[in-house]
Amino acid sequence: MNNDLYIYNTLSRKKELFVPINPNHAGMYVCGPTVYGDPHLGHARPAITFDLVFRYLQHLGYKVRYVRNITDVGHLESDADEGEDKIAKKARLEELEPMEVVQYFSDRYHEFMGRLNVLKPSIEPRASGHLIEQIAMISKLVEAGIAYESNGSVYFDVEKYNQTKKYGILSGRVLEDLLANTRDLEGQDEKRNSFDFALWKKAQPEHIMRWPSAWSEGFPGWHLECSAMSTKYLGETFDIHGGGMDLMFPHHEAEIAQSTACNHKPPVKYWMHNNMITINGQKMGKSLGNFITLEEFFKGSHPALTQAYSPMTIRFFILQAHYRSQLDFGNEALQAAQKGFDKLMKAMLTIQKIAPQSTSTADIASLEKLCYEALNDDFNSPILIANLFEAVRIVNSAYDGKEKLTAEDISQLKKLFSTFAIEILGLLPEVDPAEGGKVVEGLMKLILEIRANARANKDWATSDRIREELAAVNISVKDTKDGATWSID
RNA sequence: GGUAUCAUGGCCGAGUGGCUAGGCAACGGUCUGCAAAACCGUGUACAGCGGUUCGACUCCGCUUGAUACCUCCA
């Protein structure tokens, strides 16, 4: 592999050359969704970010095992709810079995990720299916003396861990500072220190989701599943761990501590974190109540949206920003993304119509090189897209006869688009639902024939009227040298 | 309060110690019966104040502002 890939590692806060632990293989774990609500734009960002990583690693020839979990137990509600499980709460409210809720929202998640053309991970483990592994891990930590039982619950002893290892290496936290900034929270009295975190929680009587263990009937702590499942499927040390920046502390920090204490080696070589999506400069999140679900985006049914946006528009919008930058949502920006995306897709059709020349005025090989350089520089998709637009310019110019392309150039350009736009960025031309209709096809043929006749008679009034009336129902007609073409907007 | 990140033209968003990011919008032009598309051209953008430097938007310091995390969140 002569492509040197550099990845920004949160651990070192530097771009580092990617060297896999096992040659030609890559292991990646990404924190997936907690399935108690409809997928929103915030879910799309990490899914698409690590989809790009997954696709590019595969393109480079790595055999990738990509594990993305589904959290279906263990996330505690806020202290106001006295530690009730999020899934259980929703289930009780709707009088459903917890697993019914999990099933429904998992399906919804998969449906919308599919529409965003996000590839399925290699393994998608559920926390509820790995109780044995989690309990085994807790036992190991208790035996090692790094975890302690208290009133049926088990906590990780952060201070003790910190005596031999360093707690806070990922987020730059210092234990003393954490101690100084303690707040009063429920259940705090069971812990030795406020920053200790739960490995196992004893279930309250009204708690529906519960499993037996040596300590109590209860459920696993919310950081544990990722440690248990990543170790199981990727090994004690694996290549890449991804997730949203908001998970850096305490979630990923806790993962590092648990896994290190358990396996006596650092669990992850490269930590990658995607940044947040903001709306009016504020994070889009469930707790803030300002999130827009993907369904609302696709239907345009949210007050903040002036129109519907297609899945590919959303995907393109997200990829136009670097994954480590904050991305601000806005209708103007979305509309710009939609138009830019259309332009890119149109060029892929235009390229089919270019007549090869004997000489060339374009340098496709250097363009390809720039595309690889962009991706190798910490997956810089905005730069890659800028380069693809250079290719678009070349294609359109060639179609206008202002650039000359050889047959070889044309095939290189086709390859460039199929490799970078479709295969790696995962952008697909969107099939208009109405376009397949034979009826519409036939009607349009007839209408355009009539219009062509009118035009032959220089009956511009009729010609224009047809075009305008069609425009009113979102069909645009464009006159070219070879006759009129139409498309549904 | 602590930790971290950021501040780029009408909007979104890259990047760099001196050389055009890109997309959208706007304006002018080519083409066209008109329109659209496409192509060509146009924008004293780098929060403020100091400092380093031959030269800073890019490095350093301060100020102001914003965001994230410190409590479930992608």
Side-chain angles (χ1 to χ4, degrees), chain A residues 75 86 222 283-284 286 326 383 455:
Chain A
H75 270 208
K86 271 185 179 168
W222 46 281
K283 187 174 87 161
M284 187 179 287
K286 262 173 259 193
Q326 249 177 40
I383 296 282
R455 288 167 61 76

PDB file of all heavy atoms in Angstrom, chain A residues 75 86 222 283-284 286 326 383 455, chain B residues 13-14 33-34 67 69 71-74:
ATOM      1  N   HIS A  75     -28.324   3.033  29.992  1.00  0.00           N
ATOM      2  CA  HIS A  75     -28.168   4.483  30.110  1.00  0.00           C
ATOM      3  C   HIS A  75     -29.104   5.017  31.171  1.00  0.00           C
ATOM      4  O   HIS A  75     -30.321   4.867  31.083  1.00  0.00           O
ATOM      5  CB  HIS A  75     -28.466   5.152  28.780  1.00  0.00           C
ATOM      6  CG  HIS A  75     -27.242   5.270  27.941  1.00  0.00           C
ATOM      7  ND1 HIS A  75     -27.072   6.253  27.015  1.00  0.00           N
ATOM      8  CD2 HIS A  75     -26.142   4.524  27.904  1.00  0.00           C
ATOM      9  CE1 HIS A  75     -25.906   6.097  26.436  1.00  0.00           C
ATOM     10  NE2 HIS A  75     -25.315   5.052  26.953  1.00  0.00           N
ATOM     11  N   LYS A  86     -33.371   4.590  30.635  1.00  0.00           N
ATOM     12  CA  LYS A  86     -34.074   5.321  29.580  1.00  0.00           C
ATOM     13  C   LYS A  86     -35.046   4.446  28.802  1.00  0.00           C
ATOM     14  O   LYS A  86     -36.142   4.852  28.484  1.00  0.00           O
ATOM     15  CB  LYS A  86     -33.063   5.885  28.584  1.00  0.00           C
ATOM     16  CG  LYS A  86     -32.581   7.238  28.971  1.00  0.00           C
ATOM     17  CD  LYS A  86     -31.672   7.808  27.912  1.00  0.00           C
ATOM     18  CE  LYS A  86     -31.222   9.196  28.336  1.00  0.00           C
ATOM     19  NZ  LYS A  86     -30.147   9.684  27.518  1.00  0.00           N
ATOM     20  N   TRP A 222     -23.301   2.141  32.268  1.00  0.00           N
ATOM     21  CA  TRP A 222     -23.429   2.603  30.879  1.00  0.00           C
ATOM     22  C   TRP A 222     -22.132   2.709  30.084  1.00  0.00           C
ATOM     23  O   TRP A 222     -22.164   2.961  28.894  1.00  0.00           O
ATOM     24  CB  TRP A 222     -24.236   3.874  30.804  1.00  0.00           C
ATOM     25  CG  TRP A 222     -23.874   4.932  31.824  1.00  0.00           C
ATOM     26  CD1 TRP A 222     -24.248   4.950  33.128  1.00  0.00           C
ATOM     27  CD2 TRP A 222     -23.096   6.089  31.623  1.00  0.00           C
ATOM     28  NE1 TRP A 222     -23.751   6.049  33.755  1.00  0.00           N
ATOM     29  CE2 TRP A 222     -23.047   6.777  32.849  1.00  0.00           C
ATOM     30  CE3 TRP A 222     -22.441   6.645  30.517  1.00  0.00           C
ATOM     31  CZ2 TRP A 222     -22.352   7.975  33.002  1.00  0.00           C
ATOM     32  CZ3 TRP A 222     -21.750   7.834  30.676  1.00  0.00           C
ATOM     33  CH2 TRP A 222     -21.710   8.481  31.912  1.00  0.00           C
ATOM     34  N   LYS A 283     -25.812  23.274  20.083  1.00  0.00           N
ATOM     35  CA  LYS A 283     -25.801  21.852  19.796  1.00  0.00           C
ATOM     36  C   LYS A 283     -27.209  21.318  19.593  1.00  0.00           C
ATOM     37  O   LYS A 283     -28.126  21.670  20.315  1.00  0.00           O
ATOM     38  CB  LYS A 283     -25.123  21.085  20.934  1.00  0.00           C
ATOM     39  CG  LYS A 283     -24.923  19.611  20.608  1.00  0.00           C
ATOM     40  CD  LYS A 283     -24.132  18.904  21.671  1.00  0.00           C
ATOM     41  CE  LYS A 283     -25.013  18.386  22.774  1.00  0.00           C
ATOM     42  NZ  LYS A 283     -24.337  17.330  23.550  1.00  0.00           N
ATOM     43  N   MET A 284     -27.336  20.459  18.575  1.00  0.00           N
ATOM     44  CA  MET A 284     -28.609  19.808  18.335  1.00  0.00           C
ATOM     45  C   MET A 284     -28.629  18.536  19.170  1.00  0.00           C
ATOM     46  O   MET A 284     -27.784  17.672  18.991  1.00  0.00           O
ATOM     47  CB  MET A 284     -28.717  19.478  16.853  1.00  0.00           C
ATOM     48  CG  MET A 284     -30.049  18.942  16.415  1.00  0.00           C
ATOM     49  SD  MET A 284     -30.076  18.616  14.641  1.00  0.00           S
ATOM     50  CE  MET A 284     -30.120  20.276  13.970  1.00  0.00           C
ATOM     51  N   LYS A 286     -31.031  15.748  21.921  1.00  0.00           N
ATOM     52  CA  LYS A 286     -32.297  15.308  22.502  1.00  0.00           C
ATOM     53  C   LYS A 286     -32.653  16.124  23.740  1.00  0.00           C
ATOM     54  O   LYS A 286     -33.753  16.595  23.898  1.00  0.00           O
ATOM     55  CB  LYS A 286     -32.196  13.833  22.888  1.00  0.00           C
ATOM     56  CG  LYS A 286     -32.779  12.913  21.851  1.00  0.00           C
ATOM     57  CD  LYS A 286     -32.506  11.474  22.191  1.00  0.00           C
ATOM     58  CE  LYS A 286     -31.370  10.961  21.367  1.00  0.00           C
ATOM     59  NZ  LYS A 286     -31.174   9.539  21.359  1.00  0.00           N
ATOM     60  N   GLN A 326     -17.199  21.905  13.711  1.00  0.00           N
ATOM     61  CA  GLN A 326     -18.599  22.050  14.011  1.00  0.00           C
ATOM     62  C   GLN A 326     -19.313  22.404  12.720  1.00  0.00           C
ATOM     63  O   GLN A 326     -18.787  23.150  11.906  1.00  0.00           O
ATOM     64  CB  GLN A 326     -18.781  23.194  14.996  1.00  0.00           C
ATOM     65  CG  GLN A 326     -19.223  22.731  16.355  1.00  0.00           C
ATOM     66  CD  GLN A 326     -19.331  23.878  17.317  1.00  0.00           C
ATOM     67  OE1 GLN A 326     -19.784  24.950  16.966  1.00  0.00           O
ATOM     68  NE2 GLN A 326     -18.902  23.651  18.538  1.00  0.00           N
ATOM     69  N   ILE A 383     -12.059  18.920   0.876  1.00  0.00           N
ATOM     70  CA  ILE A 383     -11.045  19.110  -0.162  1.00  0.00           C
ATOM     71  C   ILE A 383     -11.293  18.132  -1.312  1.00  0.00           C
ATOM     72  O   ILE A 383     -11.178  18.488  -2.483  1.00  0.00           O
ATOM     73  CB  ILE A 383      -9.628  18.876   0.412  1.00  0.00           C
ATOM     74  CG1 ILE A 383      -9.321  19.926   1.476  1.00  0.00           C
ATOM     75  CG2 ILE A 383      -8.586  18.902  -0.688  1.00  0.00           C
ATOM     76  CD1 ILE A 383      -8.937  21.267   0.954  1.00  0.00           C
ATOM     77  N   ARG A 455     -42.668  25.401 -31.951  1.00  0.00           N
ATOM     78  CA  ARG A 455     -41.398  26.100 -32.131  1.00  0.00           C
ATOM     79  C   ARG A 455     -40.991  26.137 -33.602  1.00  0.00           C
ATOM     80  O   ARG A 455     -40.455  27.133 -34.082  1.00  0.00           O
ATOM     81  CB  ARG A 455     -40.308  25.433 -31.295  1.00  0.00           C
ATOM     82  CG  ARG A 455     -40.486  25.696 -29.799  1.00  0.00           C
ATOM     83  CD  ARG A 455     -39.601  24.789 -28.963  1.00  0.00           C
ATOM     84  NE  ARG A 455     -38.181  24.985 -29.256  1.00  0.00           N
ATOM     85  CZ  ARG A 455     -37.481  26.032 -28.809  1.00  0.00           C
ATOM     86  NH1 ARG A 455     -38.063  26.931 -28.053  1.00  0.00           N
ATOM     87  NH2 ARG A 455     -36.214  26.151 -29.125  1.00  0.00           N
TER      88      ARG A 455
ATOM     89  P     G B  13     -20.372  26.000   8.614  1.00  0.00           P
ATOM     90  OP1   G B  13     -20.586  24.918   9.594  1.00  0.00           O
ATOM     91  OP2   G B  13     -20.025  27.365   9.073  1.00  0.00           O
ATOM     92  O5'   G B  13     -19.236  25.543   7.595  1.00  0.00           O
ATOM     93  C5'   G B  13     -19.291  24.266   6.954  1.00  0.00           C
ATOM     94  C4'   G B  13     -18.215  24.205   5.894  1.00  0.00           C
ATOM     95  O4'   G B  13     -18.364  25.309   4.973  1.00  0.00           O
ATOM     96  C3'   G B  13     -16.799  24.354   6.430  1.00  0.00           C
ATOM     97  O3'   G B  13     -16.328  23.103   6.885  1.00  0.00           O
ATOM     98  C2'   G B  13     -16.052  24.876   5.213  1.00  0.00           C
ATOM     99  O2'   G B  13     -15.778  23.840   4.288  1.00  0.00           O
ATOM    100  C1'   G B  13     -17.098  25.804   4.591  1.00  0.00           C
ATOM    101  N9    G B  13     -16.982  27.191   5.076  1.00  0.00           N
ATOM    102  C8    G B  13     -17.690  27.779   6.098  1.00  0.00           C
ATOM    103  N7    G B  13     -17.372  29.035   6.283  1.00  0.00           N
ATOM    104  C5    G B  13     -16.399  29.284   5.329  1.00  0.00           C
ATOM    105  C6    G B  13     -15.683  30.467   5.043  1.00  0.00           C
ATOM    106  O6    G B  13     -15.756  31.580   5.591  1.00  0.00           O
ATOM    107  N1    G B  13     -14.784  30.294   3.995  1.00  0.00           N
ATOM    108  C2    G B  13     -14.605  29.120   3.308  1.00  0.00           C
ATOM    109  N2    G B  13     -13.704  29.143   2.331  1.00  0.00           N
ATOM    110  N3    G B  13     -15.276  28.003   3.558  1.00  0.00           N
ATOM    111  C4    G B  13     -16.145  28.163   4.572  1.00  0.00           C
ATOM    112  P     A B  14     -14.931  23.017   7.609  1.00  0.00           P
ATOM    113  OP1   A B  14     -14.912  21.739   8.329  1.00  0.00           O
ATOM    114  OP2   A B  14     -14.632  24.283   8.319  1.00  0.00           O
ATOM    115  O5'   A B  14     -13.947  22.890   6.361  1.00  0.00           O
ATOM    116  C5'   A B  14     -12.601  23.166   6.516  1.00  0.00           C
ATOM    117  C4'   A B  14     -11.908  22.947   5.197  1.00  0.00           C
ATOM    118  O4'   A B  14     -12.405  23.898   4.229  1.00  0.00           O
ATOM    119  C3'   A B  14     -10.411  23.213   5.265  1.00  0.00           C
ATOM    120  O3'   A B  14      -9.729  22.050   5.685  1.00  0.00           O
ATOM    121  C2'   A B  14     -10.085  23.579   3.826  1.00  0.00           C
ATOM    122  O2'   A B  14      -9.997  22.425   3.011  1.00  0.00           O
ATOM    123  C1'   A B  14     -11.337  24.363   3.432  1.00  0.00           C
ATOM    124  N9    A B  14     -11.216  25.809   3.651  1.00  0.00           N
ATOM    125  C8    A B  14     -11.903  26.592   4.533  1.00  0.00           C
ATOM    126  N7    A B  14     -11.600  27.870   4.482  1.00  0.00           N
ATOM    127  C5    A B  14     -10.634  27.922   3.496  1.00  0.00           C
ATOM    128  C6    A B  14      -9.912  28.996   2.956  1.00  0.00           C
ATOM    129  N6    A B  14     -10.052  30.253   3.353  1.00  0.00           N
ATOM    130  N1    A B  14      -9.009  28.712   1.973  1.00  0.00           N
ATOM    131  C2    A B  14      -8.865  27.449   1.578  1.00  0.00           C
ATOM    132  N3    A B  14      -9.501  26.360   2.014  1.00  0.00           N
ATOM    133  C4    A B  14     -10.389  26.674   2.985  1.00  0.00           C
ATOM    134  P     G B  33     -31.712  31.647 -31.343  1.00  0.00           P
ATOM    135  OP1   G B  33     -32.627  30.769 -32.075  1.00  0.00           O
ATOM    136  OP2   G B  33     -30.553  32.269 -32.042  1.00  0.00           O
ATOM    137  O5'   G B  33     -32.561  32.810 -30.651  1.00  0.00           O
ATOM    138  C5'   G B  33     -32.765  34.044 -31.338  1.00  0.00           C
ATOM    139  C4'   G B  33     -33.998  34.703 -30.817  1.00  0.00           C
ATOM    140  O4'   G B  33     -35.161  33.920 -31.175  1.00  0.00           O
ATOM    141  C3'   G B  33     -34.105  34.822 -29.306  1.00  0.00           C
ATOM    142  O3'   G B  33     -33.358  35.920 -28.825  1.00  0.00           O
ATOM    143  C2'   G B  33     -35.604  35.008 -29.110  1.00  0.00           C
ATOM    144  O2'   G B  33     -36.009  36.329 -29.414  1.00  0.00           O
ATOM    145  C1'   G B  33     -36.162  34.061 -30.168  1.00  0.00           C
ATOM    146  N9    G B  33     -36.478  32.745 -29.615  1.00  0.00           N
ATOM    147  C8    G B  33     -35.871  31.550 -29.902  1.00  0.00           C
ATOM    148  N7    G B  33     -36.391  30.533 -29.248  1.00  0.00           N
ATOM    149  C5    G B  33     -37.401  31.103 -28.487  1.00  0.00           C
ATOM    150  C6    G B  33     -38.325  30.511 -27.588  1.00  0.00           C
ATOM    151  O6    G B  33     -38.425  29.323 -27.268  1.00  0.00           O
ATOM    152  N1    G B  33     -39.173  31.460 -27.042  1.00  0.00           N
ATOM    153  C2    G B  33     -39.141  32.795 -27.313  1.00  0.00           C
ATOM    154  N2    G B  33     -40.032  33.535 -26.682  1.00  0.00           N
ATOM    155  N3    G B  33     -38.290  33.362 -28.156  1.00  0.00           N
ATOM    156  C4    G B  33     -37.464  32.466 -28.709  1.00  0.00           C
ATOM    157  P     C B  34     -32.467  35.737 -27.560  1.00  0.00           P
ATOM    158  OP1   C B  34     -31.739  36.997 -27.385  1.00  0.00           O
ATOM    159  OP2   C B  34     -31.720  34.474 -27.686  1.00  0.00           O
ATOM    160  O5'   C B  34     -33.529  35.583 -26.389  1.00  0.00           O
ATOM    161  C5'   C B  34     -34.356  36.689 -26.029  1.00  0.00           C
ATOM    162  C4'   C B  34     -35.422  36.239 -25.061  1.00  0.00           C
ATOM    163  O4'   C B  34     -36.217  35.198 -25.673  1.00  0.00           O
ATOM    164  C3'   C B  34     -34.916  35.571 -23.790  1.00  0.00           C
ATOM    165  O3'   C B  34     -34.478  36.516 -22.836  1.00  0.00           O
ATOM    166  C2'   C B  34     -36.165  34.839 -23.322  1.00  0.00           C
ATOM    167  O2'   C B  34     -37.098  35.713 -22.734  1.00  0.00           O
ATOM    168  C1'   C B  34     -36.728  34.341 -24.663  1.00  0.00           C
ATOM    169  N1    C B  34     -36.311  32.955 -24.953  1.00  0.00           N
ATOM    170  C2    C B  34     -36.958  31.916 -24.261  1.00  0.00           C
ATOM    171  O2    C B  34     -37.844  32.207 -23.450  1.00  0.00           O
ATOM    172  N3    C B  34     -36.592  30.638 -24.503  1.00  0.00           N
ATOM    173  C4    C B  34     -35.619  30.380 -25.371  1.00  0.00           C
ATOM    174  N4    C B  34     -35.305  29.108 -25.578  1.00  0.00           N
ATOM    175  C5    C B  34     -34.938  31.412 -26.086  1.00  0.00           C
ATOM    176  C6    C B  34     -35.305  32.685 -25.843  1.00  0.00           C
ATOM    177  P     U B  67     -22.822  29.948  22.775  1.00  0.00           P
ATOM    178  OP1   U B  67     -24.284  29.845  22.596  1.00  0.00           O
ATOM    179  OP2   U B  67     -22.264  30.401  24.062  1.00  0.00           O
ATOM    180  O5'   U B  67     -22.159  28.549  22.426  1.00  0.00           O
ATOM    181  C5'   U B  67     -22.473  27.912  21.181  1.00  0.00           C
ATOM    182  C4'   U B  67     -21.514  26.770  20.943  1.00  0.00           C
ATOM    183  O4'   U B  67     -20.150  27.261  20.891  1.00  0.00           O
ATOM    184  C3'   U B  67     -21.450  25.715  22.035  1.00  0.00           C
ATOM    185  O3'   U B  67     -22.541  24.826  21.967  1.00  0.00           O
ATOM    186  C2'   U B  67     -20.120  25.036  21.701  1.00  0.00           C
ATOM    187  O2'   U B  67     -20.230  24.216  20.564  1.00  0.00           O
ATOM    188  C1'   U B  67     -19.259  26.249  21.363  1.00  0.00           C
ATOM    189  N1    U B  67     -18.524  26.759  22.533  1.00  0.00           N
ATOM    190  C2    U B  67     -17.364  26.074  22.894  1.00  0.00           C
ATOM    191  O2    U B  67     -16.964  25.096  22.282  1.00  0.00           O
ATOM    192  N3    U B  67     -16.706  26.579  23.985  1.00  0.00           N
ATOM    193  C4    U B  67     -17.082  27.673  24.743  1.00  0.00           C
ATOM    194  O4    U B  67     -16.375  28.004  25.695  1.00  0.00           O
ATOM    195  C5    U B  67     -18.285  28.313  24.310  1.00  0.00           C
ATOM    196  C6    U B  67     -18.952  27.843  23.244  1.00  0.00           C
ATOM    197  P     C B  69     -22.117  19.049  25.599  1.00  0.00           P
ATOM    198  OP1   C B  69     -23.019  17.927  25.298  1.00  0.00           O
ATOM    199  OP2   C B  69     -22.647  20.302  26.200  1.00  0.00           O
ATOM    200  O5'   C B  69     -20.937  18.527  26.520  1.00  0.00           O
ATOM    201  C5'   C B  69     -20.221  17.345  26.165  1.00  0.00           C
ATOM    202  C4'   C B  69     -19.033  17.188  27.066  1.00  0.00           C
ATOM    203  O4'   C B  69     -18.104  18.287  26.845  1.00  0.00           O
ATOM    204  C3'   C B  69     -19.318  17.296  28.558  1.00  0.00           C
ATOM    205  O3'   C B  69     -19.887  16.118  29.082  1.00  0.00           O
ATOM    206  C2'   C B  69     -17.925  17.581  29.098  1.00  0.00           C
ATOM    207  O2'   C B  69     -17.110  16.438  29.064  1.00  0.00           O
ATOM    208  C1'   C B  69     -17.427  18.582  28.056  1.00  0.00           C
ATOM    209  N1    C B  69     -17.741  19.966  28.452  1.00  0.00           N
ATOM    210  C2    C B  69     -16.874  20.598  29.361  1.00  0.00           C
ATOM    211  O2    C B  69     -15.891  19.980  29.769  1.00  0.00           O
ATOM    212  N3    C B  69     -17.143  21.866  29.747  1.00  0.00           N
ATOM    213  C4    C B  69     -18.220  22.499  29.279  1.00  0.00           C
ATOM    214  N4    C B  69     -18.435  23.746  29.703  1.00  0.00           N
ATOM    215  C5    C B  69     -19.121  21.877  28.370  1.00  0.00           C
ATOM    216  C6    C B  69     -18.846  20.618  27.984  1.00  0.00           C
ATOM    217  P     U B  71     -20.275  15.704  35.978  1.00  0.00           P
ATOM    218  OP1   U B  71     -20.931  16.995  36.124  1.00  0.00           O
ATOM    219  OP2   U B  71     -19.791  14.971  37.162  1.00  0.00           O
ATOM    220  O5'   U B  71     -21.140  14.694  35.103  1.00  0.00           O
ATOM    221  C5'   U B  71     -21.921  13.642  35.717  1.00  0.00           C
ATOM    222  C4'   U B  71     -23.267  13.658  35.100  1.00  0.00           C
ATOM    223  O4'   U B  71     -23.881  14.911  35.447  1.00  0.00           O
ATOM    224  C3'   U B  71     -23.240  13.646  33.558  1.00  0.00           C
ATOM    225  O3'   U B  71     -23.275  12.327  33.003  1.00  0.00           O
ATOM    226  C2'   U B  71     -24.425  14.515  33.137  1.00  0.00           C
ATOM    227  O2'   U B  71     -25.521  13.813  32.672  1.00  0.00           O
ATOM    228  C1'   U B  71     -24.780  15.272  34.419  1.00  0.00           C
ATOM    229  N1    U B  71     -24.774  16.721  34.234  1.00  0.00           N
ATOM    230  C2    U B  71     -25.861  17.259  33.566  1.00  0.00           C
ATOM    231  O2    U B  71     -26.749  16.567  33.113  1.00  0.00           O
ATOM    232  N3    U B  71     -25.849  18.618  33.420  1.00  0.00           N
ATOM    233  C4    U B  71     -24.881  19.486  33.884  1.00  0.00           C
ATOM    234  O4    U B  71     -25.017  20.690  33.684  1.00  0.00           O
ATOM    235  C5    U B  71     -23.792  18.848  34.572  1.00  0.00           C
ATOM    236  C6    U B  71     -23.780  17.520  34.712  1.00  0.00           C
ATOM    237  P     C B  72     -24.183  11.173  33.280  1.00  0.00           P
ATOM    238  OP1   C B  72     -25.333  11.603  34.089  1.00  0.00           O
ATOM    239  OP2   C B  72     -23.313  10.088  33.740  1.00  0.00           O
ATOM    240  O5'   C B  72     -24.744  10.780  31.849  1.00  0.00           O
ATOM    241  C5'   C B  72     -25.490   9.563  31.706  1.00  0.00           C
ATOM    242  C4'   C B  72     -26.567   9.742  30.701  1.00  0.00           C
ATOM    243  O4'   C B  72     -27.377  10.881  31.042  1.00  0.00           O
ATOM    244  C3'   C B  72     -26.120  10.089  29.284  1.00  0.00           C
ATOM    245  O3'   C B  72     -25.655   8.940  28.616  1.00  0.00           O
ATOM    246  C2'   C B  72     -27.421  10.585  28.688  1.00  0.00           C
ATOM    247  O2'   C B  72     -28.274   9.534  28.363  1.00  0.00           O
ATOM    248  C1'   C B  72     -28.012  11.355  29.870  1.00  0.00           C
ATOM    249  N1    C B  72     -27.788  12.799  29.726  1.00  0.00           N
ATOM    250  C2    C B  72     -28.708  13.525  28.958  1.00  0.00           C
ATOM    251  O2    C B  72     -29.650  12.920  28.441  1.00  0.00           O
ATOM    252  N3    C B  72     -28.541  14.852  28.805  1.00  0.00           N
ATOM    253  C4    C B  72     -27.513  15.464  29.376  1.00  0.00           C
ATOM    254  N4    C B  72     -27.390  16.767  29.201  1.00  0.00           N
ATOM    255  C5    C B  72     -26.549  14.750  30.165  1.00  0.00           C
ATOM    256  C6    C B  72     -26.734  13.424  30.309  1.00  0.00           C
ATOM    257  P     C B  73     -24.775   9.107  27.299  1.00  0.00           P
ATOM    258  OP1   C B  73     -24.718   7.767  26.740  1.00  0.00           O
ATOM    259  OP2   C B  73     -23.549   9.775  27.720  1.00  0.00           O
ATOM    260  O5'   C B  73     -25.543  10.084  26.306  1.00  0.00           O
ATOM    261  C5'   C B  73     -26.281   9.588  25.184  1.00  0.00           C
ATOM    262  C4'   C B  73     -26.978  10.764  24.553  1.00  0.00           C
ATOM    263  O4'   C B  73     -26.966  11.826  25.509  1.00  0.00           O
ATOM    264  C3'   C B  73     -26.319  11.290  23.279  1.00  0.00           C
ATOM    265  O3'   C B  73     -27.217  11.139  22.190  1.00  0.00           O
ATOM    266  C2'   C B  73     -26.134  12.766  23.500  1.00  0.00           C
ATOM    267  O2'   C B  73     -26.823  13.548  22.535  1.00  0.00           O
ATOM    268  C1'   C B  73     -26.830  13.044  24.832  1.00  0.00           C
ATOM    269  N1    C B  73     -26.074  13.982  25.678  1.00  0.00           N
ATOM    270  C2    C B  73     -26.408  15.328  25.566  1.00  0.00           C
ATOM    271  O2    C B  73     -27.291  15.671  24.766  1.00  0.00           O
ATOM    272  N3    C B  73     -25.744  16.231  26.341  1.00  0.00           N
ATOM    273  C4    C B  73     -24.812  15.829  27.183  1.00  0.00           C
ATOM    274  N4    C B  73     -24.197  16.750  27.920  1.00  0.00           N
ATOM    275  C5    C B  73     -24.448  14.451  27.316  1.00  0.00           C
ATOM    276  C6    C B  73     -25.101  13.569  26.542  1.00  0.00           C
ATOM    277  P     A B  74     -27.538   9.851  21.448  1.00  0.00           P
ATOM    278  OP1   A B  74     -28.906   9.971  20.997  1.00  0.00           O
ATOM    279  OP2   A B  74     -27.111   8.670  22.203  1.00  0.00           O
ATOM    280  O5'   A B  74     -26.605  10.026  20.195  1.00  0.00           O
ATOM    281  C5'   A B  74     -25.867   8.930  19.679  1.00  0.00           C
ATOM    282  C4'   A B  74     -24.565   9.490  19.138  1.00  0.00           C
ATOM    283  O4'   A B  74     -24.890  10.502  18.174  1.00  0.00           O
ATOM    284  C3'   A B  74     -23.747  10.198  20.192  1.00  0.00           C
ATOM    285  O3'   A B  74     -22.851   9.304  20.824  1.00  0.00           O
ATOM    286  C2'   A B  74     -23.028  11.287  19.430  1.00  0.00           C
ATOM    287  O2'   A B  74     -21.798  10.880  18.936  1.00  0.00           O
ATOM    288  C1'   A B  74     -23.968  11.553  18.256  1.00  0.00           C
ATOM    289  N9    A B  74     -24.700  12.811  18.431  1.00  0.00           N
ATOM    290  C8    A B  74     -25.767  13.071  19.239  1.00  0.00           C
ATOM    291  N7    A B  74     -26.210  14.313  19.146  1.00  0.00           N
ATOM    292  C5    A B  74     -25.366  14.896  18.210  1.00  0.00           C
ATOM    293  C6    A B  74     -25.308  16.196  17.671  1.00  0.00           C
ATOM    294  N6    A B  74     -26.149  17.169  18.002  1.00  0.00           N
ATOM    295  N1    A B  74     -24.342  16.441  16.762  1.00  0.00           N
ATOM    296  C2    A B  74     -23.508  15.459  16.426  1.00  0.00           C
ATOM    297  N3    A B  74     -23.472  14.207  16.858  1.00  0.00           N
ATOM    298  C4    A B  74     -24.442  13.984  17.758  1.00  0.00           C
TER     299        A B  74
END
